[in-house]
Amino acid sequence: MDSHPALCQAISHRIITSPQKRITFAEYMDMVLYHPQYGYYSSDVKIGFQGSDFFTSASLGADFGELLARQFYQMWEILDQPIYFSLVEMGAGQGILASHILNYIKEEYPNFFAAVKYIIVEKSSTLKQEQQKLLQDFSVKWCNLEEIEPKSLTGCCFSNELLDAFPVHQFTLEAGELREIYVTIAENNSQPIFIEVIGEPSTPQLAEYFDLVGINLSQNTYENGYRSEINLAALDWLSIVADCLERGYVLTIDYGYHADRYYHPQRRQGTLQCYYQHRHHDNPYINIGRQDITAHVDFTALSVWGESCGLKKVGWTQQGLFLMALGIGERLAAISWQQQPISQLLQRREGLHQLINPGGLGNFGVLVQSRGLTEEQASQPLQGLVVPE
């Protein structure tokens, strides 16, 4: 298969030099995606319909970013129009979403635009270079999340399809006991072949996770060999984000479920998926460094863990409903009146429909959390969370 030889060697070295000649799947996934030289996100990742592996909501045109900008503007108003409003985008892809947001704010809300401090948190140096090229006409700051001072932000920290690419631990159940899935190397092979082995959990946090989300894996409804994932990295990330925020919101958009659906006994193989040239499969041990690997997001974990970090849950909805509340329906209705070539109008109409399609992007989860709001500010409903009539 189309694996990156140098990355395979780097992973092999990590395994061989590990005490038990094995690494957690989370370590493996982290190297496959984020190795600074050979990882998938360090390569020339192409996102969109012309891209190699996947597309996002921002790939479908400017509407997604423009509707998000409407929500950010209302957040600024609810916070009493602070002089500085930080918009922190976590994982900005090629910068397309940022350009749509900033262009719309500049045109529609000049007073808000003057207050916006746009910050991008990006691990991939390759993507960062693309972002800087696309956004050179705007005042944007790039930094690592750890570089943001505690309690220094007033505004909104947001992400779109970020957490699904965080490295996850994989587990299985043996006779009702929680066991972890590790990665090691098959013996007697000149070329490294990665295989799975099962062992004791690498950290007590894995068992504690299920206490957090209220799932009892010891029930006999879970069959032997049941398998799924745990995203501890998402909780670590949320802790840091919450610590950075003095006043404002955290907006998380991604595909996922609440815990009772995520860890339903019938979902016995988990949610891990690999994306290679717009096709998906479930083998993370091929096309190493050439394919994306993702797992669904557990929104219950984010909500409950957020409360312990000082983040109050404002609301959860689906992307389709969120965008309808922000005016995507009006945009669809107005298309027929626009003076553009019919092919462009049809393409835009198709893009808008895809954003709200309940069988696809429209089914993504949207979680909004807040910190530091006054009672009066917290009582004001966010437009995107108001159920459309």
Side-chain angles (χ1 to χ4, degrees):
M1 283 293 182
D2 181 27
S3 294
H4 196 303
L7 179 57
C8 291
Q9 290 297 330
I11 296 170
S12 298
H13 180 74
R14 172 77 68 88
I15 291 172
I16 292 167
T17 55
S18 295
Q20 294 180 283
K21 303 293 188 290
R22 68 186 189 186
I23 57 176
T24 65
F25 184 83
E27 291 177 86
Y28 171 80
M29 185 172 169
D30 185 58
M31 289 191 74
V32 167
L33 295 182
Y34 300 108
H35 187 284
Q37 291 172 273
Y38 314 124
Y40 175 75
Y41 284 108
S42 300
S43 64
D44 189 20
V45 180
K46 294 300 181 186
I47 303 168
F49 292 107
Q50 304 306 314
S52 61
D53 300 318
F54 60 91
F55 68 93
T56 67
S57 294
S59 312
L60 296 169
D63 294 280
F64 181 69
E66 291 176 358
L67 293 170
L68 280 181
R70 287 187 180 182
Q71 184 59 86
F72 297 143
Y73 174 70
Q74 190 209 8
M75 289 173 173
W76 179 63
E77 287 192 312
I78 289 174
L79 294 177
D80 301 320
Q81 301 185 355
I83 297 174
Y84 297 112
F85 185 92
S86 295
L87 265 181
V88 186
E89 184 177 0
M90 317 276 183
Q94 294 168 308
I96 295 170
L97 180 58
S99 68
H100 294 160
I101 290 169
L102 286 167
N103 275 310
Y104 190 76
I105 293 174
K106 183 179 180 181
E107 288 181 18
E108 299 294 325
Y109 311 118
N111 292 341
F112 180 37
F113 184 76
V116 166
K117 293 198 300 180
Y118 208 97
I119 300 169
I120 290 178
V121 174
E122 181 59 66
K123 286 181 71 172
S124 168
S125 57
T126 303
L127 290 174
K128 181 179 175 181
Q129 289 173 5
E130 292 192 43
Q131 294 159 11
Q132 289 173 332
K133 185 177 179 181
L134 184 62
L135 301 171
Q136 57 187 331
D137 293 337
F138 294 103
S139 177
V140 177
K141 177 183 177 182
W142 279 263
C143 66
N144 296 322
L145 188 55
E146 293 76 12
E147 293 172 343
I148 301 176
E149 293 290 324
K151 306 292 182 292
S152 64
L153 299 177
T154 294
C156 180
C157 301
F158 73 100
S159 63
N160 178 53
E161 292 194 62
L162 171 71
L163 274 62
D164 62 86
F166 280 10
V168 293
H169 292 263
Q170 286 202 300
F171 73 90
T172 188
L173 296 180
E174 286 186 338
E177 293 294 317
L178 182 69
R179 306 276 283 168
E180 184 159 9
I181 295 167
Y182 293 84
V183 180
T184 189
I185 304 173
E187 296 180 7
N188 302 321
N189 280 289
S190 56
Q191 293 294 324
I193 297 177
F194 301 113
I195 60 172
E196 296 178 347
V197 291
I198 297 171
E200 294 295 316
S202 59
T203 168
Q205 288 179 281
L206 298 181
E208 292 165 1
Y209 183 91
F210 292 102
D211 293 332
L212 177 77
V213 299
I215 297 294
N216 181 8
L217 292 175
S218 65
Q219 299 176 80
N220 57 16
T221 51
Y222 289 94
E223 65 180 36
N224 198 47
Y226 179 89
R227 174 181 178 133
S228 194
E229 318 85 27
I230 299 171
N231 194 337
L232 296 180
L235 305 188
D236 294 337
W237 168 85
L238 191 60
S239 296
I240 300 171
V241 171
D243 197 41
C244 294
L245 192 64
E246 180 188 30
R247 195 163 60 97
Y249 299 90
V250 178
L251 172 65
T252 305
I253 303 175
D254 223 315
Y255 46 91
Y257 309 114
H258 291 106
D260 57 350
R261 188 175 170 198
Y262 197 119
Y263 299 108
H264 193 281
Q266 292 181 350
R267 197 181 302 281
R268 58 180 64 91
Q269 291 300 316
T271 71
L272 194 84
Q273 287 284 304
C274 306
Y275 292 87
Y276 181 69
Q277 297 182 350
H278 284 290
R279 297 179 180 177
H280 64 87
H281 61 90
D282 60 2
N283 186 353
Y285 306 111
I286 60 174
N287 309 319
I288 297 169
R290 315 286 196 195
Q291 67 182 6
D292 197 15
I293 305 176
T294 74
H296 282 48
V297 173
D298 179 355
F299 283 102
T300 300
L302 294 179
S303 298
V304 178
W305 185 255
E307 292 285 346
S308 70
C309 299
L311 294 174
K312 294 184 178 180
K313 180 180 176 181
V314 178
W316 184 91
T317 188
Q318 292 172 317
Q319 178 172 300
L321 294 174
F322 184 72
L323 297 178
M324 286 297 290
L326 289 168
I328 198 171
E330 289 83 348
R331 291 182 172 225
L332 271 167
I335 284 179
S336 58
W337 300 100
Q338 293 170 354
Q339 300 299 315
Q340 284 181 306
I342 189 69
S343 60
Q344 291 181 20
L345 293 176
L346 289 173
Q347 184 178 7
R348 180 160 179 244
R349 181 177 173 183
E350 172 63 20
L352 290 170
H353 277 296
Q354 285 198 52
L355 288 173
I356 57 175
N357 178 6
L361 295 170
N363 197 39
F364 279 24
V366 181
L367 175 66
V368 186
Q369 297 159 289
S370 70
R371 181 171 195 155
L373 274 61
T374 65
E375 281 190 32
E376 182 183 350
Q377 290 169 343
S379 68
Q380 299 182 55
L382 290 179
Q383 184 180 346
L385 297 178
V386 176
V387 179
E389 294 182 359

